[in-house]
Amino acid sequence: MKYREALRAALQEEMERDATVFCVGEGIGERGGSYKVTEGLLAQFGPGRVIDTPLSEAGFVGLGAGAAIAGQRPVVEILFIDFLLQAMDQVVNQAAKYRFMSGGEGRVPLVVRTQGGTGNSLAGQHSQSLEALYYHVPGLKVVMPATPRDAKGLLKSAIRDDDPVIFIEHKLLYMTDGEVPAEDYLIPLGQADIKRSGSDVTLVAWSHMVVKSLQAAELLAAEGISTEVIDLRTLVPMDVDCVLDSVRRTGRLVIAQEAIKRGGVGSDVAAIVAERAFDHLRAPIVRVAGWNTTIPFNLGLEKASVPQVDDIVAGVRSVVQSGAAAGT
Amino acid sequence: MKYREALRAALQEEMERDATVFCVGEGIGERGGSYKVTEGLLAQFGPGRVIDTPLSEAGFVGLGAGAAIAGQRPVVEILFIDFLLQAMDQVVNQAAKYRFMSGGEGRVPLVVRTQGGTGNSLAGQHSQSLEALYYHVPGLKVVMPATPRDAKGLLKSAIRDDDPVIFIEHKLLYMTDGEVPAEDYLIPLGQADIKRSGSDVTLVAWSHMVVKSLQAAELLAAEGISTEVIDLRTLVPMDVDCVLDSVRRTGRLVIAQEAIKRGGVGSDVAAIVAERAFDHLRAPIVRVAGWNTTIPFNLGLEKASVPQVDDIVAGVRSVVQSGAAAGT
Amino acid sequence: MSEIGADLLLSMYEMTETIRRFEQQAIAQYRLGNIRGYFHPYLGEEAIAVGAMAAIEPDDYIVSTHRGHGHALAKGHEPRRMMAELFGKESGYCRGRGGSMHVASRSVRNLGANGIVGGGLAIAAGAALAIKQREGPEVVVAFCSDGSSANGIWHESMNLAAIWDLPVIFVLENNQYAVSTPIRDSARVEHLSQRAAGYGMPGVTVDGNDAAIVYGAMQEPLRRARAGEGPSLVECLTYRHGGHHVNDPGLYLPPEELQRWKAHDPLIVLRARLARAGVDEAAITLIDERVERLIDEAVEFATASPNPSVEDFLAEVATL
Amino acid sequence: MSEIGADLLLSMYEMTETIRRFEQQAIAQYRLGNIRGYFHPYLGEEAIAVGAMAAIEPDDYIVSTHRGHGHALAKGHEPRRMMAELFGKESGYCRGRGGSMHVASRSVRNLGANGIVGGGLAIAAGAALAIKQREGPEVVVAFCSDGSSANGIWHESMNLAAIWDLPVIFVLENNQYAVSTPIRDSARVEHLSQRAAGYGMPGVTVDGNDAAIVYGAMQEPLRRARAGEGPSLVECLTYRHGGHHVNDPGLYLPPEELQRWKAHDPLIVLRARLARAGVDEAAITLIDERVERLIDEAVEFATASPNPSVEDFLAEVATL
Ligand SMILES: Cc1ncc(C[n+]2csc(CCOP(=O)(O)OP(=O)(O)O)c2C)c(N)n1
Ligand SMILES: Cc1ncc(C[n+]2csc(CCOP(=O)(O)OP(=O)(O)O)c2C)c(N)n1
Ligand SMILES: [Mg+2]
Ligand SMILES: [Mg+2]
């Protein structure tokens, strides 16, 4: 099943199960959304639950929050995570804080589905990886699935969660294929997944970088380097124990992230490990991450601006070498 | 001179020097702004250069960007950094990217002055420390002065800079006093300042945390711990060398930050050091930071939600102890 | 307005007096240092909350503003737990975590005050959408301010409500200033209600200091909303009795303007209506005394209530 | 419109034909894989850019939209460097870093296309403020779309321009759809120009497929703006000749509607005007041939130009 079909199946199942679940966004009805995730839902659930909106990102994200507070379970689609910046006040000041500021009484079971990342020459305002912005905001959960199976199971959990969830897809993943269980299943928020076991080095990634990291691990294996690839899957809550356990075994950590390095989530992973598994570290922690630049339009420059498989391979190699020198 | 007077002096001098500099924001004219930074400027420069706005944060930040592109040097005041979220799209998608996306031809000499932080029981939407959000965005510079002297010298540099600068003050600093040189001076963006020298441990802070860190260092000195306090002053560009040099000398790093720990700028400082000065580290890197919570209204809870001097002291003590155990 | 009977006038009077006294006593507590942070008094604007709330049902929702004590009280919040919240106490509506700008309660269907001007508008539209999806009979009353009308979220929320025929009534409290900035410097239109036409919804401008007029102005919007005909904008003209918040002396308010509006105080207007309806002074005095006791008791309750426990807070936070 | 002479009609025709052929050729290059990313053709809407730009001076500024090739060409961008930008080449206006949605150039005072719908509106107001502060004679023409009118930034920008009498003219290109969503589902008002009244500025709705009418509609707004009397809104009705972008077949456009508008093609309208003005076919053929060469040469230039150097890019980035 394709990633986008898995997302669609999650929406469909949850909408069938729970009449309070509905979808709202630009062109998600008849047109089925820009990435065709919501295709067919209008026909099945009607215009009262699959709602096309004007270009009012702040308005309909806030509307989602209001509907959620009033008992519904909205799934708001924002075409590009870049546009979610227009709704930043609604996300951060309203949805994220409502539960706490109401003394715990109010709940905001809102899901904002959106997508980010490079890959299609869409230039600076349609290619950003902005998860770090939401990661820093108390009250939000942040989910970034890399496979069809995870996408389905996590979206269902996100919809059932009583807190606002920023659910970030990647434009290069929609057409990827993967096994999805036939039976009904959930993947709980907050569980990382070891996508490949290894013993020499821990490689942490999420979203599309998991795909590249697995390719890198394959190449590294050919060189005799055994790489453990951890897919965080949810950034908030983060499965810190999974990462710490792995680093305690391997003694080395590389983080692969598409977002720019400065202030990215990878820095947090590095900081957590430098704080809590310091004594197990045998090498510097390396972040393989995007350059400090607006994403360029030209395809060659775009590719150069974010990590490719080779960059990850080089990053892992560097810690294995330096670790060998320093540690053993 | 008080911090707010130093800011005012910077604005006044730059407006006198350069007719393209102007101020725009809510109630900055007759009323002199909520924190009285712009007091008197209307009388001196008139309503054409000291402009009161309606509550249109996105609109007048974007307007500032447009005026900057067209050759002016606007200083936009946003009452609370919390409200700047309404203008996030204008800051991130417009102002920050314009230079790059125009192939380098367009420049956006825009300063957004705003303030953040806890301390006055203003609750969740008026107390945030959000520098990490801007820190992660290519194309922006981020400045957070802790003293009147730095505030003046850095604001003048920010105004003369050709790129957009997010200039973040702290509500508890406006009334603080400090020496300010009589003569005209600039402090370049990108230079940290060692506010106190020390040899046992490096303590990195910025904005109001510098005040608390210096108090902590004083207490620690009484215990025989020599703490070097580095005030980053500008987060972007960051004076990484200053931090690395210090850590190479002390072997220990603590970061004190008011913002919540998860995804804060402190994580980046930790990650940079874990990557580039790993071999000099004698102890885990500790981040003393805000709890993962919306800022509460109640004063006791508010205080508990962000690091106090004691927390910094405890953080430093922990690395000195653990470093002693592990390293020597 | 002839259809408004003495009973309704009396109950509106009682609520107006309740808000008035609550604000006055809370300000006194602020001066004593028992209340901190931002406090935007509703003094002088009570007729809007009172008139609007008299017109709606308990199951209807409201969203409130940064100047929200009056909305909350009129919607049915207990003064004691309101006061406790302003004190930052555990017994407050938000357990001391929200304070003046964030008072909310499911029990009375107040979706919340807001520290962001205009911050509740899209939430109101969303709650109205929820009602529509559930085919409920309720409406949402979205209180908002003249200042909010310059903000993008005002525009987007009005428009979304209009295109989807959502059961929401935008009650715009035009007190003619945003802090010190007069609305005439922020909008080049005589009445903000004229903007309603741009969204294809009805808009009216009424005297917001007369609770009976506000009550009357709500009737057609309520009928429309409940009939599925969509939103309306009701602009209520009013004036603050002082500065923007309790620490603002409000010296920029022209003294004659302020005096003119003080002479048209919601309490004065209601008392005149009561007199015309033949209600005697004794009934009013009885109410005044009851309200006085209620608010005094609220202050006592707030004073006696404990602060939230720091340990509990940190334990909660650790699990977030 | 009788005052429009044959010369102006001919130059407007030449620019319309230039845009038309540029888009057609660029789409052909897209199909060949030489252009990538989002490409929103201006086909069918050329009369707006052409008419508006004919009315202004070279020193006036514009801001453009995601559908911005027509604005850029009409404002004076060279087709060759435009085409090179679409190809992502170093010789393009943005050195291949911006692409279709970000074309900008100081040389012709185009403040830029935008990938964010409505993203240029506040920038336009800001440039107009700069002009006002410098007491310059220029104006800013802010092109925007029907979809943008639902966005908060549209509201805030219109209002700020209005209250400060900024020299800006909002030219709203109402092509009646935002991708597949008809404007009637996004706004409950007959003409979007009616919203201008809410800001206290004049608003008109005109035929946006007739360059002469657009040209005429700009005159009073320009006079006002240059006289310091403030902004205006000019809504131009038009229609796309196809899908939203080159990969959208646009099947949701009702065929009769599309046919009706295609029959009212800006080129057809201008040719009819030229015929009425007595201009003979030969003059038009001459123009067509010149334009054909110009655009062919643009494609050649773009094709021959080198890609940006990755090393240079990484070196630049490292210093940012
Ligand atoms: C988006 C936003 N901008 C600015 C502020 C700061 N602020 C709080 S109240 C206020 C004035 C509001 O005036 P108005 O909206 O008319 O409401 P009023 O205080 O008159 O009831 C301002 C500027 C805010 N809270 N939110
Ligand atoms: C703020 C924002 N929301 C959504 C989009 C995605 N998007 C790009 S063009 C478009 C439709 C725009 O329609 P309209 O504004 O009428 O302009 P047109 O394409 O018809 O010229 C959408 C939804 C965007 N670019 N920016
Ligand atoms: Mg007001
Ligand atoms: Mg359109």
Side-chain angles (χ1 to χ4, degrees):
Chain A
M1 189 183 277
K2 292 217 168 15
Y3 187 85
R4 72 179 180 198
E5 292 161 351
L7 292 165
R8 188 186 306 146
L11 292 172
Q12 191 180 14
E13 287 175 21
E14 292 306 299
M15 289 177 81
E16 283 169 353
R17 194 184 60 81
D18 180 349
T20 68
V21 179
F22 72 96
C23 295
V24 58
E26 291 163 14
I28 64 164
E30 191 61 42
R31 192 154 52 89
S34 278
Y35 290 94
K36 300 285 174 238
V37 171
T38 55
E39 199 158 62
L41 297 183
L42 175 67
Q44 185 176 354
F45 299 102
R49 292 177 69 195
V50 182
I51 306 174
D52 275 355
T53 68
L55 285 93
S56 309
E57 276 78 2
F60 65 82
V61 169
L63 173 123
I69 293 168
Q72 304 292 95
R73 292 192 174 268
V75 182
V76 174
E77 177 175 309
I78 296 285
L79 288 177
F80 286 76
I81 196 168
D82 316 69
F83 313 158
L84 188 54
L85 298 173
Q86 292 203 338
M88 201 69 181
D89 173 56
Q90 298 295 320
V91 170
V92 177
N93 283 328
Q94 307 301 336
K97 297 192 178 9
Y98 193 80
R99 175 179 165 194
F100 180 85
M101 294 195 307
S102 67
E105 191 188 73
R107 299 306 289 264
V108 189
L110 166 71
V111 176
V112 176
R113 274 189 51 239
T114 187
Q115 61 77 28
T118 57
N120 289 331
S121 256
L122 300 183
Q125 295 170 337
H126 289 71
S127 308
Q128 292 170 85
S129 295
L130 295 175
E131 62 271 19
L133 273 49
Y134 303 95
Y135 179 79
H136 187 51
V137 178
L140 298 179
K141 292 174 179 166
V142 181
V143 180
M144 294 187 77
T147 66
R149 180 176 176 282
D150 291 346
K152 183 176 175 195
L154 288 166
L155 182 52
K156 286 169 66 96
S157 291
I159 291 171
R160 297 187 195 188
D161 199 277
D162 282 338
D163 290 316
V165 178
I166 309 295
F167 191 94
I168 307 174
E169 303 155 13
H170 193 290
K171 54 175 70 63
L172 294 184
L173 289 174
Y174 287 116
M175 297 296 284
T176 57
D177 245 315
E179 298 251 317
V180 172
E183 71 280 4
D184 198 15
Y185 70 100
L186 294 172
I187 295 178
L189 308 188
Q191 281 188 5
D193 186 37
I194 299 180
K195 287 269 189 312
R196 177 187 178 116
S197 300
S199 54
D200 292 333
V201 53
T202 302
L203 175 57
V204 171
W206 55 94
S207 191
H208 189 245
M209 274 294 148
V210 172
V211 175
K212 288 184 177 170
S213 294
L214 288 170
Q215 291 169 12
E218 197 64 37
L219 294 175
L220 288 158
E223 300 179 16
I225 299 174
S226 168
T227 309
E228 177 143 306
V229 179
I230 297 181
D231 177 0
L232 289 177
R233 299 200 294 196
T234 54
L235 302 184
V236 184
M238 188 186 283
D239 191 349
V240 170
D241 290 337
C242 175
V243 176
L244 292 174
D245 285 351
S246 177
V247 173
R248 285 186 189 118
R249 279 187 279 107
T250 64
R252 297 181 182 87
L253 174 63
V254 174
I255 301 139
Q257 131 191 324
E258 181 166 340
I260 75 153
K261 184 185 276 192
R262 191 179 67 214
V265 173
S267 302
D268 224 51
V269 176
I272 290 166
V273 170
E275 198 165 70
R276 296 173 56 185
F278 178 76
D279 293 338
H280 295 84
L281 278 176
R282 294 195 282 159
I285 301 171
V286 165
R287 294 165 293 156
V288 179
W291 284 96
N292 179 26
T293 176
T294 294
I295 303 298
F297 168 66
N298 174 281
L299 191 64
L301 302 192
E302 184 189 30
K303 279 221 165 78
S305 71
V306 298
Q308 303 301 330
V309 174
D310 284 353
D311 300 309
I312 302 173
V313 167
V316 170
R317 235 186 248 137
S318 77
V319 300
V320 173
Q321 282 156 3
S322 94
T328 37
Chain B
M1 187 183 277
K2 292 215 170 14
Y3 187 84
R4 71 180 180 198
E5 292 160 350
L7 291 165
R8 188 185 306 145
L11 291 172
Q12 192 180 12
E13 287 175 19
E14 293 305 300
M15 289 177 80
E16 283 170 352
R17 196 184 59 80
D18 180 349
T20 67
V21 178
F22 71 97
C23 296
V24 58
E26 291 163 13
I28 65 163
E30 191 61 44
R31 192 154 52 88
S34 278
Y35 290 94
K36 300 283 175 240
V37 171
T38 55
E39 200 159 61
L41 297 182
L42 175 67
Q44 184 177 352
F45 299 102
R49 291 179 67 195
V50 182
I51 307 174
D52 275 356
T53 68
L55 286 94
S56 309
E57 277 78 3
F60 66 82
V61 169
L63 174 123
I69 293 168
Q72 303 293 94
R73 292 193 173 268
V75 182
V76 174
E77 177 176 309
I78 296 284
L79 287 176
F80 286 76
I81 197 168
D82 316 70
F83 311 158
L84 188 54
L85 298 173
Q86 292 204 339
M88 202 69 181
D89 172 54
Q90 298 294 320
V91 170
V92 177
N93 283 328
Q94 308 300 336
K97 297 193 178 10
Y98 192 81
R99 175 179 165 194
F100 181 85
M101 294 194 309
S102 67
E105 190 189 73
R107 298 307 289 264
V108 189
L110 166 72
V111 176
V112 176
R113 275 189 51 239
T114 187
Q115 60 79 27
T118 58
N120 289 331
S121 257
L122 301 183
Q125 295 169 338
H126 289 71
S127 308
Q128 293 170 84
S129 295
L130 295 176
E131 63 271 18
L133 274 48
Y134 303 96
Y135 179 79
H136 187 51
V137 177
L140 298 178
K141 292 174 180 166
V142 181
V143 180
M144 294 187 76
T147 68
R149 179 175 175 282
D150 291 346
K152 182 175 174 196
L154 288 165
L155 182 51
K156 286 170 66 97
S157 292
I159 291 171
R160 298 188 195 186
D161 199 278
D162 283 338
D163 290 316
V165 178
I166 309 295
F167 191 94
I168 308 174
E169 302 155 15
H170 194 291
K171 53 175 73 60
L172 294 183
L173 289 174
Y174 288 115
M175 297 296 285
T176 57
D177 246 315
E179 298 251 318
V180 171
E183 72 282 2
D184 197 15
Y185 69 102
L186 294 173
I187 295 178
L189 307 188
Q191 281 189 3
D193 186 38
I194 299 179
K195 287 271 189 309
R196 178 187 177 115
S197 300
S199 53
D200 292 333
V201 52
T202 302
L203 176 56
V204 171
W206 55 95
S207 190
H208 189 244
M209 274 295 148
V210 172
V211 176
K212 288 184 176 170
S213 293
L214 288 169
Q215 290 168 14
E218 197 63 38
L219 295 175
L220 288 159
E223 300 180 16
I225 298 175
S226 168
T227 309
E228 177 144 305
V229 179
I230 296 181
D231 177 0
L232 289 178
R233 298 200 294 195
T234 54
L235 302 184
V236 183
M238 189 186 282
D239 190 350
V240 170
D241 290 337
C242 175
V243 176
L244 291 174
D245 285 351
S246 177
V247 173
R248 286 187 188 119
R249 279 187 280 108
T250 63
R252 296 180 182 88
L253 174 63
V254 174
I255 301 139
Q257 132 191 324
E258 181 165 341
I260 77 153
K261 184 186 277 192
R262 192 180 65 216
V265 173
S267 303
D268 224 50
V269 176
I272 290 167
V273 170
E275 199 165 71
R276 295 174 54 185
F278 178 75
D279 293 338
H280 296 84
L281 278 175
R282 293 195 283 158
I285 300 170
V286 165
R287 292 165 295 156
V288 180
W291 283 96
N292 179 27
T293 176
T294 293
I295 304 297
F297 167 66
N298 174 281
L299 192 63
L301 302 192
E302 185 188 30
K303 279 221 164 77
S305 71
V306 298
Q308 302 302 331
V309 174
D310 284 354
D311 300 310
I312 302 173
V313 167
V316 170
R317 235 187 248 135
S318 77
V319 300
V320 173
Q321 283 156 2
S322 93
T328 36
Chain C
M1 295 297 109
S2 53
E3 77 276 13
I4 296 188
D7 281 0
L8 179 53
L9 285 174
L10 275 169
S11 78
M12 292 201 298
Y13 175 81
E14 178 154 0
M15 185 48 71
T16 308
E17 180 65 20
T18 302
I19 298 170
R20 178 67 53 97
R21 191 162 275 273
F22 180 93
E23 292 294 59
Q24 289 170 340
Q25 288 283 62
I27 291 169
Q29 293 299 316
Y30 195 100
R31 302 278 174 241
L32 292 172
N34 294 329
I35 298 178
R36 301 173 43 87
Y38 277 140
F39 181 140
H40 306 93
Y42 201 57
L43 294 171
E45 311 189 9
E46 300 92 340
I48 304 171
V50 169
M53 243 62 87
I56 65 174
E57 304 298 323
D59 275 357
D60 292 328
Y61 294 89
I62 66 163
V63 304
S64 173
T65 68
H66 60 288
R67 198 177 296 288
H69 305 166
H71 310 136
L73 291 166
K75 191 65 176 67
H77 283 261
E78 296 173 35
R80 45 170 24 214
R81 291 191 60 205
M82 277 285 297
M83 192 66 82
E85 187 57 34
L86 302 199
F87 274 62
K89 297 298 181 71
E90 182 73 26
S91 59
Y93 276 101
C94 309
R95 304 174 52 223
R97 280 129 175 98
S100 167
M101 291 190 290
H102 304 292
V103 172
S105 174
R106 242 191 333 227
S107 60
V108 300
R109 298 207 159 180
N110 174 6
L111 297 170
N114 219 301
I116 302 295
V117 172
L121 290 164
I123 290 173
L129 177 64
I131 293 168
K132 189 175 168 175
Q133 289 177 324
R134 296 192 293 249
E135 298 178 23
E138 308 96 334
V139 303
V140 182
V141 177
F143 292 96
C144 61
S145 54
D146 52 293
S148 76
S149 70
N151 200 277
I153 199 68
W154 190 88
H155 173 74
E156 296 190 6
S157 304
M158 298 274 290
N159 191 49
L160 292 177
I163 61 172
W164 295 330
D165 291 325
L166 299 182
V168 53
I169 297 154
F170 297 96
V171 175
L172 194 158
E173 308 186 317
N174 184 353
N175 63 9
Q176 306 172 59
Y177 287 85
V179 194
S180 59
T181 305
I183 182 66
R184 68 174 171 279
D185 290 351
S186 291
R188 279 279 175 86
V189 69
E190 206 194 332
H191 295 303
L192 291 169
S193 63
Q194 290 169 256
R195 289 195 181 153
Y199 308 107
M201 72 168 86
V204 293
T205 301
V206 301
D207 178 359
N209 275 24
D210 187 333
I213 287 181
V214 173
Y215 174 86
M218 292 292 290
Q219 301 307 317
E220 172 60 10
L222 282 166
R223 187 203 60 71
R224 271 177 59 84
R226 297 205 206 276
E229 295 172 22
S232 307
L233 172 60
V234 179
E235 179 187 15
C236 301
L237 296 176
T238 186
Y239 205 84
R240 297 186 321 235
H241 274 189
H244 171 63
H245 52 54
V246 293
N247 290 327
D248 170 20
L251 300 177
Y252 46 82
L253 299 176
E256 334 72 64
E257 194 176 82
L258 177 57
Q259 276 325 306
R260 198 157 12 96
W261 281 92
K262 278 199 167 173
H264 189 55
D265 179 318
L267 275 174
I268 295 176
V269 172
L270 267 179
R271 277 174 185 267
R273 284 197 179 272
L274 284 166
R276 283 205 297 283
V279 176
D280 66 7
E281 271 293 320
I284 292 175
T285 308
L286 222 67
I287 289 176
D288 289 353
E289 287 166 5
R290 188 160 66 221
V291 168
E292 186 175 351
R293 279 197 305 278
L294 182 74
I295 304 300
D296 286 351
E297 195 272 337
V299 172
E300 283 158 29
F301 174 80
T303 307
S305 292
N307 273 308
S309 138
V310 170
E311 292 72 46
D312 289 358
F313 163 70
L314 290 177
E316 279 165 36
V317 160
T319 68
L320 280 184
Chain D
M1 294 297 109
S2 53
E3 76 275 14
I4 296 189
D7 281 359
L8 179 53
L9 285 175
L10 274 170
S11 79
M12 293 202 297
Y13 175 80
E14 177 155 1
M15 186 48 72
T16 308
E17 179 67 19
T18 302
I19 300 170
R20 177 67 54 96
R21 189 161 277 273
F22 180 93
E23 293 294 59
Q24 288 170 340
Q25 288 283 63
I27 292 170
Q29 293 299 315
Y30 195 99
R31 303 280 173 238
L32 291 173
N34 294 330
I35 299 178
R36 300 173 45 88
Y38 277 140
F39 180 139
H40 306 92
Y42 200 56
L43 295 171
E45 310 190 9
E46 300 92 339
I48 304 171
V50 169
M53 242 63 85
I56 65 173
E57 304 298 323
D59 275 357
D60 292 329
Y61 294 88
I62 67 163
V63 305
S64 171
T65 67
H66 60 288
R67 198 177 296 288
H69 305 168
H71 310 135
L73 291 167
K75 191 66 175 67
H77 282 262
E78 296 173 33
R80 45 173 20 218
R81 292 191 60 203
M82 278 285 297
M83 192 67 81
E85 188 57 34
L86 302 199
F87 274 62
K89 297 299 181 69
E90 182 73 26
S91 58
Y93 275 102
C94 308
R95 303 173 54 223
R97 279 127 176 100
S100 167
M101 291 191 289
H102 304 293
V103 172
S105 174
R106 246 197 323 233
S107 59
V108 300
R109 298 206 159 182
N110 174 6
L111 297 169
N114 219 301
I116 302 296
V117 172
L121 289 165
I123 290 173
L129 178 64
I131 293 168
K132 189 175 168 173
Q133 289 176 324
R134 295 193 293 248
E135 298 177 22
E138 307 97 335
V139 303
V140 183
V141 177
F143 291 96
C144 62
S145 53
D146 52 293
S148 77
S149 70
N151 200 277
I153 199 66
W154 190 87
H155 174 74
E156 296 189 6
S157 303
M158 298 274 288
N159 191 49
L160 292 177
I163 62 173
W164 295 331
D165 291 325
L166 300 182
V168 52
I169 297 154
F170 297 96
V171 174
L172 194 159
E173 308 186 316
N174 184 353
N175 63 10
Q176 307 172 58
Y177 287 85
V179 194
S180 60
T181 305
I183 182 66
R184 66 174 173 279
D185 289 353
S186 290
R188 278 280 175 86
V189 69
E190 206 195 332
H191 295 303
L192 292 168
S193 63
Q194 290 168 257
R195 289 194 182 154
Y199 308 107
M201 72 169 85
V204 293
T205 300
V206 302
D207 177 358
N209 276 23
D210 186 333
I213 287 182
V214 173
Y215 173 86
M218 292 293 289
Q219 300 307 318
E220 171 61 11
L222 282 166
R223 188 203 61 71
R224 271 176 59 83
R226 297 206 206 275
E229 294 172 23
S232 306
L233 172 59
V234 179
E235 179 187 14
C236 301
L237 296 176
T238 185
Y239 205 84
R240 298 186 321 236
H241 274 189
H244 172 63
H245 52 54
V246 294
N247 290 328
D248 170 20
L251 300 177
Y252 45 82
L253 299 177
E256 334 72 64
E257 194 176 83
L258 177 57
Q259 276 325 307
R260 196 155 16 92
W261 281 93
K262 278 199 166 173
H264 189 54
D265 179 319
L267 276 175
I268 295 176
V269 172
L270 267 179
R271 277 175 184 265
R273 284 197 178 271
L274 284 166
R276 284 205 298 282
V279 176
D280 66 7
E281 271 294 319
I284 293 175
T285 308
L286 223 67
I287 289 176
D288 288 354
E289 287 166 4
R290 189 160 64 220
V291 168
E292 186 175 351
R293 278 195 306 276
L294 183 73
I295 304 301
D296 286 351
E297 194 272 337
V299 173
E300 281 158 32
F301 174 80
T303 307
S305 292
N307 273 307
S309 136
V310 170
E311 292 70 48
D312 288 358
F313 163 70
L314 290 177
E316 278 165 36
V317 161
T319 68
L320 280 184

